[in-house]
């Protein structure tokens, strides 16, 4: 799970759409540890639409 602030500050290079994972860098996380969020098929569809 990601916090709303991490989502608002997300940038495209953090998303690995091919492997369905969002990698949040440690410097943006509250506990200063990198975090990987698995992405559902529905989220991948939304991101593909937004990326266009």
């Amino acid at each position: 799970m990601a916090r709303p602030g991490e989502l608002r500050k997300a940038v495209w290079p953090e998303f690995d759409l091919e492997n369905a994972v969002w990698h949040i860098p440690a410097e943006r996380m509250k506990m200063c540890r990198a975090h990987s969020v698995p992405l559902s098929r529905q989220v991948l569809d939304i991101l593909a639409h937004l990326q266009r």
Side-chain angles (χ1 to χ4, degrees), residues 12-13 15 17 44-52:
W12 286 113
F15 293 97
L17 301 180
L44 291 173
D45 290 341
I46 291 168
L47 290 173
H49 178 74
L50 289 174
Q51 197 171 27
R52 290 184 225 141

Side-chain angles (χ1 to χ4, degrees), residues 3-48:
R3 297 177 189 278
E6 282 116 22
L7 181 56
R8 284 192 305 271
K9 295 178 184 177
V11 293
W12 286 113
E14 295 174 353
F15 293 97
D16 180 356
L17 301 180
E18 186 174 305
N19 294 310
V21 180
W22 171 26
H23 299 286
I24 306 171
E27 56 270 6
R28 283 218 334 270
M29 294 298 294
K30 183 177 179 179
M31 299 298 290
C32 297
R33 291 186 308 201
H35 187 63
S36 295
V37 180
L39 302 174
S40 69
R41 178 180 35 84
Q42 294 89 342
V43 170
L44 291 173
D45 290 341
I46 291 168
L47 290 173

